[in-house]
Amino acid sequence: MDAILIRQAPAPLRGTVHISGAKNAALPVLCATLLTDGASRLRNVPKLRDIDTTAALLRFLGRDVVVDAPEIRVAEGTCARPEAPYELVKQMRASVMVLGPLLARYGRAKVSLPGGCAIGARPIDQHLKGLEAMGAVIRLERGYVVAEGPNGGGRLRGAEVLFDLPTVTGTENLMMAAALAKGRTTLINCAREPEVEELGRVLNKAGAKVDGAGTDVIHVEGVPPGELGPFDHAIIPDRIEAGTYMIAAAAVQGSDVLIEGAEIHDLDTVVAKMRHAGVQIESEGRAIRVARNGPLSAVPVTTAPHPGFPTDMQAQFLVLMCLARGESMITETVFENRFMHVPELQRMGAQIVLRGNTAVVDGVKALYGASVMATDLRASASLVIAGLVAVDETEVRRVYHIDRGYERIEEKLRGIGARIERVKGRS
Ligand code: EPZ
């Protein structure tokens, strides 16, 4: 397995980072290609492991997919076998998002249960509850969800679905199922992430009738299967990638970095908290300038569904607070086990105490390089950021976690002056 070696940045980070397309927008949009038999094209798609896994899944389902980053082309065709195997789903839980499209288009689907992952149990009960409300008959069989449309594989029916809690992929799965259902579907207490809004745009490009994507209530007028056409769409920029590089710039004293191609309004809460901490952030057209000259101040953060502070930015912001003056409280409310970066940061000299779902962070003058272990996507990114400011050298192992969600991270960081390289074969 690869590792990433980071030596302390010789000087502040300076220059421009270009943001790639959003992983968490590209994944549902790729699943949405299953709703139409036509040939679709996605542009501005990041080159990431999760994208390759999804392409492999679409191929397994019978569609011909060409990944030519930043483009992906899904050829005309149908799914001979609407089944998503455990071998693929276990690699990426977002694979569960083929369930809605397959059930809506073919009246049946067999999709492996994703299983838990490092950050939590991550059940899909809300996905299944919504599909059953639309008439699907669902049973669990040997770790698989086996689903059929009403009356032995018929067309889903529009329904009113109230989510017990906002779920991003749950909202997306049911939007796609509703796009081909008979009649009107109303989804209530939806996730409001920009990636959900993006899926709504793409579904409407294909001829669906989706209203309210990005708000907590979404209405979908179903169209007959076969009536959705292909689409050609450029994916929105990745706000979490952008936020990660903003934190990296803020972590290194004296930095001045331009984050190119990011949409600042998708990061309002992150920008507000960083400014409170003493980071200078300015919007410059389709770019965000981040600079930090003075000391960092401790700022409390509690994660929440959008438009709250994103859970996917919690680990990164926690590293920033390790360097701030004073004590900050970082509370994680979305996932039950999303502090695995903490023990690794403690090995680098961070002063953090975990109290339930809150990390109490006392800022220190310096972090010290160490060999640390990546555990999940965003925790890995936080360890790389810590390495940028740590004294001496840091080795982040198991960087396959990073490759799931950050395109060419070492290249992009080297481009703004970081001393960082990838080394092969370190477990
Ligand atoms: C999406 O995951 C993102 N992944 C995650 O990003 C992100 O952290 C998460 O939303 C929250 O913003 C993609 O979009 C591919 P949820 P998702 O369903 O949809 C509970 C990354 O780093 N829940 O919104 O799986 C769940 O356990 C990844 O890029 C149920 O209880 O998250 C969690 O506590 C990590 N039942 C909460 O809801 C359900 O049926 C929010 O989960 C579904 C979810």
Side-chain angles (χ1 to χ4, degrees):
M1 286 180 252
D2 294 358
I4 281 184
L5 283 185
I6 311 139
R7 295 179 183 83
Q8 180 178 5
L13 300 177
R14 294 280 166 84
T16 300
V17 176
H18 294 278
I19 297 305
S20 303
K23 167 179 85 82
N24 290 349
L27 296 179
V29 170
L30 275 170
C31 296
T33 62
L34 295 169
L35 288 166
T36 169
D37 299 347
S40 293
R41 183 172 75 154
L42 279 64
R43 286 173 284 116
N44 197 35
V45 180
K47 182 154 185 48
L48 298 170
R49 275 183 60 222
D50 277 5
I51 299 293
D52 293 340
T53 303
T54 307
L57 178 54
L58 296 182
R59 291 188 192 104
F60 185 90
L61 293 167
R63 297 298 291 265
D64 183 14
V65 182
V66 173
V67 178
D68 179 20
E71 253 193 42
I72 290 190
R73 293 183 296 281
V74 178
E76 189 171 357
T78 59
C79 290
R81 176 183 46 188
E83 291 187 21
Y86 177 64
E87 292 65 35
L88 284 171
V89 176
K90 73 179 178 182
Q91 293 178 44
M92 184 192 66
R93 35 175 305 99
S95 310
V96 75
M97 282 192 287
V98 299
L99 186 55
L102 290 175
L103 199 45
R105 182 79 189 82
Y106 300 100
R108 61 192 180 87
K110 183 178 178 185
V111 176
S112 170
L113 275 167
C117 80
I119 62 178
R122 302 184 73 183
I124 59 168
D125 58 298
Q126 300 295 309
H127 301 235
L128 304 182
K129 181 183 100 167
L131 292 171
E132 285 174 332
M134 298 172 76
V137 176
I138 292 177
R139 66 179 195 281
L140 303 186
E141 192 180 278
R142 297 180 55 74
Y144 278 78
V145 171
V146 180
E148 264 192 348
N151 310 315
R155 189 179 173 193
L156 294 174
R157 297 186 299 267
E160 180 172 277
V161 177
L162 169 64
F163 290 108
D164 297 332
L165 76 173
T167 157
V168 174
T169 50
T171 302
E172 292 164 343
N173 224 343
L174 292 180
M175 282 166 73
M176 292 187 278
L180 292 179
K182 184 174 173 54
R184 180 183 180 87
T185 295
T186 299
L187 304 175
I188 304 167
N189 194 22
C190 298
R192 295 181 273 172
E193 273 69 4
E195 294 77 24
V196 175
E197 188 173 2
E198 173 79 336
L199 178 61
R201 274 190 288 272
V202 171
L203 290 174
N204 287 338
K205 259 190 183 180
K209 297 181 175 65
V210 178
D211 181 43
T215 74
D216 60 339
V217 179
I218 298 174
H219 297 288
V220 184
E221 284 298 336
V223 300
E227 283 198 15
L228 286 186
F231 49 82
D232 180 336
H233 187 76
I235 299 291
I236 55 172
D238 193 317
R239 63 193 170 97
I240 304 299
E241 183 195 23
T244 302
Y245 287 111
M246 288 168 64
I247 296 275
V252 183
Q253 174 103 13
S255 293
D256 184 346
V257 173
L258 194 65
I259 315 283
E260 182 80 51
E263 178 47 67
I264 195 168
H265 297 303
D266 288 340
L267 285 164
D268 283 345
T269 47
V270 175
V271 169
K273 287 294 183 181
M274 289 180 71
R275 281 177 174 154
H276 290 166
V279 183
Q280 292 82 47
I281 299 176
E282 296 304 328
S283 175
E284 294 186 1
R286 293 259 307 145
I288 304 171
R289 181 176 293 283
V290 180
R292 201 257 294 181
N293 296 302
L296 288 165
S297 306
V299 169
V301 155
T302 298
T303 65
H306 195 78
F309 192 96
T311 173
D312 290 351
M313 284 297 303
Q314 176 260 103
Q316 301 91 312
F317 194 83
L318 189 148
V319 173
L320 201 62
M321 291 299 99
C322 290
L323 303 161
R325 283 180 177 169
E327 177 178 277
S328 59
M329 315 279 272
I330 311 288
T331 300
E332 172 59 58
T333 68
V334 176
F335 290 111
E336 62 266 33
N337 185 33
R338 206 168 196 181
F339 282 127
M340 282 167 299
H341 40 293
V342 167
E344 300 303 312
L345 291 170
Q346 288 168 332
R347 297 178 59 241
M348 297 177 73
Q351 293 298 311
I352 308 168
V353 174
L354 288 180
R355 292 200 188 115
N357 67 340
T358 294
V360 181
V361 184
D362 281 302
V364 291
K365 288 197 182 319
L367 294 175
Y368 298 88
S371 179
V372 291
M373 184 83 78
T375 51
D376 63 271
L377 172 53
R378 307 304 173 183
S380 318
S382 74
L383 297 178
V384 171
I385 293 169
L388 289 177
V389 295
V391 174
D392 205 350
E393 181 178 273
T394 297
E395 176 195 53
V396 180
R397 288 173 289 134
R398 298 190 179 176
V399 289
Y400 59 86
H401 290 292
I402 290 187
D403 296 336
R404 294 191 52 177
Y406 291 94
E407 184 179 31
R408 296 179 288 112
I409 188 168
E410 67 270 19
E411 193 181 307
K412 292 189 181 185
L413 284 172
R414 250 199 313 272
I416 51 175
R419 286 165 60 196
I420 180 170
E421 59 179 318
R422 180 181 291 255
V423 289
K424 299 279 182 195
R426 305 240 188 145
S427 64

